[in-house]
Amino acid sequence: MSKFRFDTKVPVIILTILLEGQGSSKQKIKVALDTGATYTMIPWEIAEILGLEPELSKERVEIITASGVEKAPLVTLKSIVVLGKRIERVEAIVHDLPPKSYVDGLLGIKSLVELKLKIDFEQGILEV
């Protein structure tokens, strides 16, 4: 098991993850660990760089944003690497967060379950 520390005084746990798309395309992004989000969310620009063609996705997921309910494309990443662990075939929503966000996307609960992640909020430890 691997352990990673986070600052318990900061209201958001921010991680850098590696996304792998079509072919050998890879991209690192900063995400907020979000236990309230079902799916991982990545920005449009990154999805396009990874060759995922979100505009062609036939599968759409309803998401609740500050401006109301929207439908966002669902794509499948070849893999993501989170806290040193690779997860294969990750479904991700493609949607941009507001420009002043501290992160590029969100790491949702489906990915957290795959990681078998334990969060100790008192000690500030993520355990994979």
Side-chain angles (χ1 to χ4, degrees), residues 27-57:
Q27 193 75 31
K28 283 186 181 181
I29 65 169
K30 282 186 186 178
V31 294
L33 191 149
D34 188 348
T35 60
T38 302
Y39 294 98
T40 292
M41 180 186 295
I42 64 172
W44 273 88
E45 181 181 6
I46 298 299
E48 290 170 345
I49 289 169
L50 294 171
L52 298 172
E53 300 179 325
E55 67 281 358
L56 300 180
S57 174

Side-chain angles (χ1 to χ4, degrees), residues 54-115:
E55 67 281 358
L56 300 180
S57 174
K58 292 179 182 173
E59 198 164 355
R60 304 280 168 159
V61 175
E62 282 191 355
I63 60 172
I64 299 170
T65 69
S67 58
V69 177
E70 297 180 34
K71 287 195 175 196
L74 188 67
V75 297
T76 302
L77 293 154
K78 186 175 180 180
S79 70
I80 64 173
V81 178
V82 182
L83 300 173
K85 184 171 180 184
R86 177 183 294 284
I87 305 169
E88 304 289 334
R89 300 200 42 78
V90 175
E91 289 182 318
I93 290 173
V94 179
H95 185 74
D96 292 328
L97 292 174
K100 294 189 178 187
S101 298
Y102 295 105
V103 294
D104 304 307
L106 305 173
L107 184 64
I109 196 78
K110 284 183 124 185
S111 297
L112 300 177
V113 169
E114 287 290 320
L115 284 174

Side-chain angles (χ1 to χ4, degrees), residues 8-19:
T8 58
K9 295 178 184 109
V10 177
V12 178
I13 300 172
I14 297 175
L15 304 169
T16 298
I17 66 173
L18 177 67
L19 309 173

